[in-house]
Amino acid sequence: MSVVTDSPVRSSHSSSSDDFATFLDAELGSSSDSSSKAKNVVDDDKKEVESDSWADENDDDCDSWGDDNDDDTVANQIKRARVEIQEIVQDNLQASTSHIHIQQNSVASTSKVACTHPGTFGDMCICCGERLAAETGVTLGYIHKGLRLGNDEIVRLRNTDTKNLLRNRKLYLVLDLDHTLLNSTQLIHLTPEEDYLKSQIDSVQDGLNGSLFKLDFMHMMTKLRPFVHEFLKEASQMFQMYIYTMGDRAYAHEMAKLLDPGRKYFHDRVISRDDGTQRHQKGLDIVLGQDSAVLILDDTENAWTKHKENLILMERYHFFASSCRQFGFECKSLSQIKSDESESDGALASVLKVLRKIHQMFFDELADNLDGRDVRQVLGTVRKDVLKGCKIVFSRVFPTQFQAENHHLWKMAEQLGATCCREPDPSVTHVVSAEAGTEKSHWARKNDKFLVYPRWIEAANYMWQRQPEENFSINQPTKQ
C-alpha cells in the first residue's frame, strides 16, 4: 500500500537535494533488495503519521501540508530518516536498476545559479525550499503525496530510468486490474446461483495460494484470473510493472495486496483514478518511462486514446454474474456455470507468449542502437503476423450505409495482417458473415472458401494466433 503522509517540508537552510534524491529513490522502489531496505526505513519513520489509504476516500493528491507551525517538526522527522536512507542507498547503489537523481540547483550552491524549481512538495521547491505562488508540473501522488515534478524534470527522469532499465534487458509493462488480472463484485450483487462461492473463499493471509477473496470491510468479493501469479512472476523478469486502474486509490491498493502480497512486483507503482491527469482517461504522462519502452495490458481500448500503439487488448474476464450484466451480456457467467478459464490456454497464458516474443525481438533481433528502439514497432510487427496471408470479404457485418473501412472489425483484421476487400474474387480466403443465407455466403461455400462468424477475427485478436476456422464456421441454412 502506498504511504499517504504529510510531505516533507524543506526550509531554505534545510538538508541538500541529495537527501531528497535518496528519499525519492526509496519511494520509487527498484528491483533490488537494497532499494527495499531503503523503503523500509522510510516506512518505519512514517508509522506515526501514516493513514490507511483505502479508508481515506476524500484524500486528494494535492492536499496542503498543514500549518506552518508544524513545518520544523515534520522536517526534522523526515530529515533523520533521509540520513539513514542515504547511507543505505549509497552503499548499494550499484545494485539498483532504477536509481533516479533529482537535479541539484540549490540557491545555496557555490555557483550561485538560480534554482529552476524542478519539482515541489505542496508549494515548496524540492531543491531550494522556496515557497512558490502557483503549482506547476505533473502530480505524482502515487509516488508520494504532494509530489509534483516539472515537465523538463520528468523528461530527464524518464530518459535516465529508461536507459538504466534497457541496460538490464527490461521494458515497462502497465497492467489494468478489472477484467484483465481479476474480477470483483459487490457482495449484494451476488446471485443465488453464486451463493456457493461464500463457502469457497480463501484467506487473505494465504497470499499466493489463494484466488477467491472476500473483503468484508469493502463489502466485496474478488476472483483472481487463472495463471495470474505465474504470469506476474515471469513478466517481472522482463518488465518493470505498474498497476493502472480506473478504480479509486483504496481499491487499487487492496487489489495490489492480493496480487503481490510480498511487494516484489509493483512496490509503490500503483496508479488509480485519483492519480490520473485526465478524467475517464489513462495516460503515460505519470509513468516514469519513455513511451517507446512501454507496453499496456487492458481490456478497454477507449481508456488509452493517446496510446493505442502501446496497447495489447485483453479479452475481458467475466467471472461474476454482475460483470456480465455490466456489459449487457445475457449469458451465464463463469461462476454461475461453476467453471473458469484454463490455466495453460487462458488469456494470461496466451498474452505471456506474446510478451516473451516482443521482449526477445526487441533485445535480440533489432539492429539499431538500443536507445533508439521502439517497442510499439515491435508490437505492430508481431500483431501483423497473426492473420498474415488471409484475404477477407465481409457480408452483412456492417450497416448498409456504413463506411466499411472505418468499422472496428475491418481495422482489426488489417492490424492483424489480413487484407480486406468489398467484393469476392478468387484470391479471397475468408468470408466473414453474420448469417449463412447471404449471396457472399453462398459464394464462399460454392468456391470452397472459409465461411466464419465475426468472432473469428476477435478471437484471433485476443489469442494472438489464427484460430481454427471450424470452431467459428457458419452452419448451412436449413432447406425448406
Side-chain angles (χ1 to χ4, degrees):
M1 179 180 293
S2 177
V3 177
V4 180
T5 71
D6 288 338
S7 301
V9 178
R10 300 174 62 87
S11 64
S12 58
H13 57 275
S14 62
S15 57
S16 71
S17 58
D18 283 337
D19 291 334
F20 177 77
T22 53
F23 170 74
L24 184 57
D25 284 330
E27 286 297 323
L28 289 175
S30 73
S31 60
S32 68
D33 292 337
S34 60
S35 294
S36 297
K37 292 179 181 178
K39 180 66 175 63
N40 290 337
V41 175
V42 176
D43 289 340
D44 290 342
D45 191 68
K46 293 174 183 174
K47 284 181 180 178
E48 294 184 1
V49 292
E50 181 177 352
S51 60
D52 210 351
S53 62
W54 70 262
D56 195 1
E57 297 179 353
N58 297 317
D59 188 22
D60 294 326
D61 289 344
C62 301
D63 285 348
S64 62
W65 293 4
D67 297 333
D68 291 346
N69 293 335
D70 294 330
D71 287 359
D72 292 339
T73 301
V74 177
N76 290 334
Q77 182 183 24
I78 299 301
K79 182 177 179 181
R80 289 193 298 272
R82 291 197 214 136
V83 171
E84 296 179 62
I85 296 166
Q86 188 171 13
E87 293 174 353
I88 293 173
V89 175
Q90 287 178 344
D91 288 343
N92 299 280
L93 182 58
Q94 297 302 318
S96 176
T97 62
S98 62
H99 192 72
I100 298 175
H101 290 286
I102 293 295
Q103 184 178 4
Q104 296 185 28
N105 288 313
S106 174
V107 295
S109 67
T110 56
S111 62
K112 303 297 182 182
V113 177
C115 182
T116 59
H117 308 311
T120 60
F121 266 135
D123 63 349
M124 299 182 71
C125 175
I126 59 177
C127 283
C128 68
E130 180 182 343
R131 290 190 179 276
L132 306 178
E135 292 181 338
T136 58
V138 178
T139 300
L140 298 175
Y142 71 94
I143 295 175
H144 196 281
K145 180 183 174 183
L147 174 64
R148 296 176 69 92
L149 294 180
N151 292 329
D152 291 343
E153 186 64 15
I154 287 179
V155 169
R156 193 184 68 80
L157 291 176
R158 281 181 178 153
N159 291 340
T160 301
D161 200 52
T162 301
K163 287 180 180 179
N164 289 338
L165 210 61
L166 293 180
R167 281 196 291 267
N168 286 277
R169 292 180 60 87
K170 280 192 173 186
L171 297 164
Y172 299 91
L173 183 62
V174 177
L175 298 167
D176 174 53
L177 287 178
D178 294 289
H179 306 107
T180 298
L181 298 182
L182 49 82
N183 191 203
S184 296
T185 187
Q186 293 292 320
L187 296 177
I188 60 173
H189 294 155
L190 289 173
T191 66
E193 294 169 288
E194 296 174 303
D195 278 344
Y196 76 95
L197 295 173
K198 297 176 182 178
S199 63
Q200 297 185 3
I201 59 174
D202 300 303
S203 170
V204 174
Q205 283 69 38
D206 287 344
L208 299 177
N209 297 319
S211 65
L212 181 64
F213 302 96
K214 184 167 171 275
L215 306 175
D216 290 315
F217 61 97
M218 299 185 79
H219 310 290
M220 180 181 293
M221 185 177 289
T222 294
K223 173 65 171 64
L224 303 186
R225 199 166 198 165
F227 196 69
V228 69
H229 291 307
E230 293 84 353
F231 171 85
L232 293 176
K233 181 179 180 180
E234 185 162 343
S236 69
Q237 304 303 310
M238 301 180 286
F239 300 91
Q240 183 177 95
M241 299 188 295
Y242 284 75
I243 284 175
Y244 199 147
T245 177
M246 294 299 282
D248 62 22
R249 185 180 292 117
Y251 179 73
H253 287 293
E254 290 305 319
M255 295 304 102
K257 285 182 180 179
L258 298 180
L259 293 166
D260 184 20
R263 288 175 56 84
K264 296 188 299 183
Y265 305 136
F266 302 111
H267 299 279
D268 288 332
R269 296 184 295 272
V270 180
I271 304 173
S272 69
R273 70 180 181 214
D274 303 315
D275 305 306
T277 58
Q278 301 178 68
R279 188 173 178 82
H280 304 308
Q281 281 288 301
K282 297 179 180 180
L284 297 179
D285 55 338
I286 55 177
V287 174
L288 293 182
Q290 292 178 349
D291 292 5
S292 59
V294 179
L295 292 175
I296 302 165
L297 292 189
D298 203 314
D299 69 286
T300 305
E301 184 178 21
N302 292 337
W304 296 96
T305 54
K306 295 183 179 180
H307 305 286
K308 290 185 179 181
E309 291 182 336
N310 302 81
L311 176 65
I312 297 176
L313 191 64
M314 295 289 293
E315 185 170 19
R316 289 192 174 108
Y317 182 47
H318 296 293
F319 184 77
F320 295 108
S322 62
S323 180
C324 290
R325 293 195 300 269
Q326 177 185 347
F327 291 93
F329 298 139
E330 297 181 0
C331 60
K332 296 283 189 179
S333 69
L334 291 169
S335 62
Q336 288 175 302
I337 62 174
K338 298 184 177 182
S339 183
D340 209 344
E341 287 185 355
S342 168
E343 287 270 351
S344 58
D345 299 319
L348 289 178
S350 296
V351 80
L352 182 59
K353 296 175 184 177
V354 177
L355 294 176
R356 288 194 202 107
K357 186 174 183 179
I358 293 172
H359 185 273
Q360 189 268 332
M361 289 178 62
F362 185 93
F363 287 103
D364 298 330
E365 296 184 16
L366 296 185
D368 54 327
N369 182 275
L370 187 62
D371 294 338
R373 299 176 189 177
D374 195 325
V375 74
R376 293 169 292 193
Q377 296 177 0
V378 180
L379 176 58
T381 299
V382 173
R383 182 178 275 126
K384 281 187 174 297
D385 282 341
V386 176
L387 293 182
K388 184 178 181 180
C390 298
K391 187 172 182 179
I392 298 172
V393 65
F394 294 90
S395 178
R396 294 193 187 175
V397 174
F398 318 134
T400 305
Q401 302 301 321
F402 194 87
Q403 190 72 22
E405 292 83 355
N406 293 331
H407 195 274
H408 78 277
L409 280 176
W410 185 294
K411 291 181 178 180
M412 184 181 292
E414 288 187 332
Q415 289 175 347
L416 295 173
T419 300
C420 298
C421 58
R422 290 177 173 272
E423 298 297 332
D425 64 54
S427 64
V428 167
T429 59
H430 294 74
V431 173
V432 176
S433 180
E435 53 185 279
T438 69
E439 183 178 343
K440 292 176 182 176
S441 297
H442 289 303
W443 177 88
R445 285 191 291 270
K446 181 179 179 180
N447 291 276
D448 198 26
K449 307 294 183 179
F450 290 113
L451 179 60
V452 293
Y453 286 107
R455 178 66 177 162
W456 176 75
I457 298 176
E458 296 174 335
N461 184 59
Y462 289 129
M463 303 306 291
W464 287 80
Q465 61 182 2
R466 179 171 165 178
Q467 298 298 294
E469 283 81 2
E470 58 267 23
N471 295 343
F472 302 87
S473 179
I474 298 178
N475 296 324
Q476 295 196 22
T478 302
K479 294 182 179 180
Q480 299 295 325

